[in-house]
Amino acid sequence: MADAQQRAGSDIGAKDDIEMRLGANLVHLPIVRAVAVNIAMRADFDVDAISDLELAVDEACSSLIAHAVAGSVLACRFTIGADDIMFTVTVTSAEDVTPSESTFGWRVLTTLTDGVTSWADQLEDSLHEVHIEFVKRRPVVSR
């Protein structure tokens, strides 16, 4: 995941990144899932990997929406690499808490992805920016 994190932190490949900003509301999840599926299809992922990415995106977004302050924006970024897709999602929260790694939802994320992490950054006025980031690699097909 270090390569994907370096890619996200720099402008290399940024021209191919896809970013979305939506209200932090569960009604917007179908839009984010549809974009994830489309990106994975274009990246030539197989059907199982596409489904895994879709479910992981849904779980990551749902987890953060539960912590979002009213009126918060759900910021999503897909970084497309040669053999992987990195997804980063962020919301503003009143809590300095990342999603618990002991929940079923976190287990889903770790099972469906090839590396996941979360963190929180302090903002002004007792607010926090909470992030989840994961990478999904294209499966290697042996012939």
Side-chain angles (χ1 to χ4, degrees), residues 111-139:
T111 301
L112 297 174
T113 65
D114 296 297
V116 61
T117 187
S118 65
W119 69 95
D121 296 323
Q122 177 75 43
L123 297 175
E124 314 169 354
D125 303 323
S126 301
L127 294 176
H128 306 273
E129 195 171 66
V130 183
H131 311 262
I132 295 178
E133 181 175 271
F134 66 78
V135 65
K136 180 67 180 170
R137 291 187 187 90
R138 181 181 306 118

Side-chain angles (χ1 to χ4, degrees), residues 3-128:
D3 292 338
Q5 288 174 332
Q6 288 172 349
R7 212 173 40 243
S10 69
D11 288 334
I12 298 171
K15 65 180 176 133
D16 292 329
D17 289 2
I18 296 161
E19 296 185 50
M20 302 170 29
R21 297 176 57 80
L22 308 120
N25 190 312
L26 295 174
V27 300
H28 296 127
L29 286 179
I31 297 166
V32 183
R33 285 193 312 260
V35 171
V37 167
N38 189 284
I39 290 168
M41 287 173 55
R42 291 174 183 265
D44 202 28
F45 278 44
D46 66 22
V47 174
D48 290 333
I50 292 169
S51 180
D52 289 352
L53 180 67
E54 179 182 23
L55 291 170
V57 164
D58 185 86
E59 185 59 42
C61 291
S62 297
S63 295
L64 290 192
I65 288 170
H67 294 284
V69 295
S72 182
V73 170
L74 183 73
C76 305
R77 181 178 185 157
F78 294 89
T79 302
I80 300 123
D83 293 317
D84 61 26
I85 297 171
M86 185 176 61
F87 179 70
T88 307
V89 59
T90 306
V91 296
T92 301
S93 174
E95 309 166 58
D96 184 16
V97 176
T98 58
S100 173
E101 294 182 12
S102 64
T103 63
F104 176 74
W106 191 262
R107 185 168 304 259
V108 168
L109 281 173
T110 59
T111 301
L112 297 174
T113 65
D114 296 297
V116 61
T117 187
S118 65
W119 69 95
D121 296 323
Q122 177 75 43
L123 297 175
E124 314 169 354
D125 303 323
S126 301
L127 294 176
H128 306 273

